[in-house]
Amino acid sequence: MAVIIDGKALSAKLKNNLKDEVEALKGEGIETCLAVIIVGDNPASRVYVNNKKKSCAELGIKSLEYALPEDTTEEELLSLIDELNSDDSVDGILCQLPLPKHICEKNVINSISPRKDVDAFHPENVGHIMIGDYTFLPCTPAGVMEMLKEYEIEIAGKNCVVVGRSNIVGKPMTMLLLKENATVTVCHSRTKDLASFTREADILVSAVGKVGLITADMVKENAVVIDVAINRLESGKLCGDVDFENVKEKASFITPVPGGVGPMTIAVLMKNTVKAAENRKNR
């Protein structure tokens, strides 16, 4: 039976440490501030934004919300981002994705100042991640690394398989595992015989968004299984890519959904925002 990796508890621990840092910055005249932009009324996006605002309130971080209508033009959105880039009191800027189809996400991501890009999506920050010299890390992959560290799971020399190649999770997850001296294989929708790869994984990270993708017969005995996906079933219940009930009997460690990687994603966002405030203090 696997050890269940408790993302809620670890997130609370990380936030508690950050709270002290936020207070220390206030004592030096720096009020940490995160600006969050949401365009349209996507229900999932609204939940995510509310959770981020709640975390800011818990830590004493000032949060600014810019809720823009669905028909906001790309020009109007870029103008707002330009204003926030120029506002020295704002440390981090986050534009909640996805955006309405008439707005180019790439243009929006590229318009956020790299030093305020707390999602670490800007090409400049992505480049720093590639060479292992970074200020900010993408929140979800960094959250996974925090989990592995907390549970003292050895990475160096291990066979790691990442299922999914998105710019947000799969690719940066690969780079962070490589930095810790793992041997990493990336699988995706064009991979033939996925199970032949996943069965070799000492650490398996799945970030696809497909219910039941990873079954027990695809998992090596005593593997560490990290489920990044969040899917909602017709019943309303949340689940990931992994057949949790069966895989937990075979794995050594496993993350649940919900309560696993999700809380860590927001905790790392807070960490990045505090880091941006510290950088402002030192400029």
Side-chain angles (χ1 to χ4, degrees):
M1 175 82 71
V3 173
I4 310 299
I5 296 176
D6 190 340
K8 285 184 179 179
L10 181 52
S11 171
K13 179 180 176 181
L14 182 59
K15 285 180 180 177
N16 199 45
N17 292 337
L18 289 172
K19 197 171 185 179
D20 294 338
E21 292 181 42
V22 170
E23 281 301 313
L25 284 165
K26 279 184 181 176
E28 297 184 56
I30 300 288
E31 183 177 29
T32 308
C33 177
L34 174 65
V36 181
I37 304 168
I38 179 171
V39 184
D41 54 3
N42 182 303
S45 291
R46 171 44 64 189
V47 169
Y48 292 141
V49 166
N50 287 348
N51 286 340
K52 289 162 186 173
K53 287 170 62 181
K54 182 181 175 184
S55 289
C56 284
E58 288 172 4
L59 300 184
I61 294 173
K62 181 180 179 181
S63 65
L64 306 173
E65 181 186 307
Y66 297 86
L68 307 180
E70 183 84 19
D71 61 358
T72 297
T73 66
E74 183 175 314
E75 185 179 4
E76 288 169 332
L77 177 55
L78 294 178
S79 176
L80 170 60
I81 291 170
D82 190 48
E83 287 177 26
L84 294 172
N85 282 336
S86 301
D87 187 341
D88 286 339
S89 69
V90 173
D91 297 299
I93 302 170
L94 184 152
C95 189
Q96 185 65 46
L97 304 178
L99 291 167
K101 291 182 179 178
H102 65 277
I103 297 176
C104 175
E105 287 188 0
K106 180 180 177 182
N107 290 345
V108 171
I109 289 168
N110 290 356
S111 71
I112 296 173
S113 167
R115 72 170 188 240
K116 298 189 179 190
D117 170 38
V118 288
D119 265 332
F121 290 167
H122 191 284
E124 183 175 317
N125 287 329
V126 173
H128 282 294
I129 293 161
M130 284 290 294
I131 61 174
D133 172 28
Y134 43 75
T135 300
F136 304 125
L137 288 174
C139 301
T140 299
V144 171
M145 299 304 287
E146 292 272 2
M147 289 173 141
L148 297 175
K149 179 181 176 184
E150 176 71 14
Y151 282 79
E152 298 181 347
I153 295 167
E154 189 176 352
I155 301 170
K158 299 297 184 180
N159 286 328
C160 298
V161 173
V162 177
V163 186
R165 53 177 168 177
S166 71
N167 291 334
I168 293 173
V169 180
K171 290 176 184 175
M173 187 78 253
T174 300
M175 298 313 301
L176 296 188
L177 290 167
L178 277 173
K179 189 173 189 294
E180 295 301 320
N181 301 311
T183 299
V184 189
T185 301
V186 181
C187 297
H188 45 78
S189 58
R190 299 292 182 91
T191 299
K192 294 179 180 178
D193 193 7
L194 176 63
S196 68
F197 293 96
T198 59
R199 287 192 197 107
E200 297 299 317
D202 300 310
I203 300 173
L204 174 60
V205 181
S206 188
V208 174
K210 186 176 180 182
V211 178
L213 176 67
I214 306 297
T215 53
D217 65 303
M218 298 170 68
V219 176
K220 181 180 180 179
E221 198 75 40
N222 293 321
V224 176
V225 180
I226 307 293
D227 194 348
V228 176
I230 300 180
N231 308 300
R232 190 176 293 277
L233 301 174
E234 287 184 9
S235 64
K237 183 181 176 183
L238 295 177
C239 68
D241 289 341
V242 177
D243 176 5
F244 181 82
E245 291 302 323
N246 289 310
V247 172
K248 75 178 182 181
E249 302 297 327
K250 200 171 182 181
S252 58
F253 293 87
I254 190 169
T255 59
V257 178
V261 177
M264 291 303 299
T265 297
I266 292 181
V268 174
L269 172 66
M270 298 296 107
K271 183 178 180 179
N272 284 347
T273 304
V274 173
K275 177 69 174 173
E278 289 173 346
N279 289 345
R280 167 159 63 105
K281 182 193 77 172
N282 295 326
R283 278 201 298 272

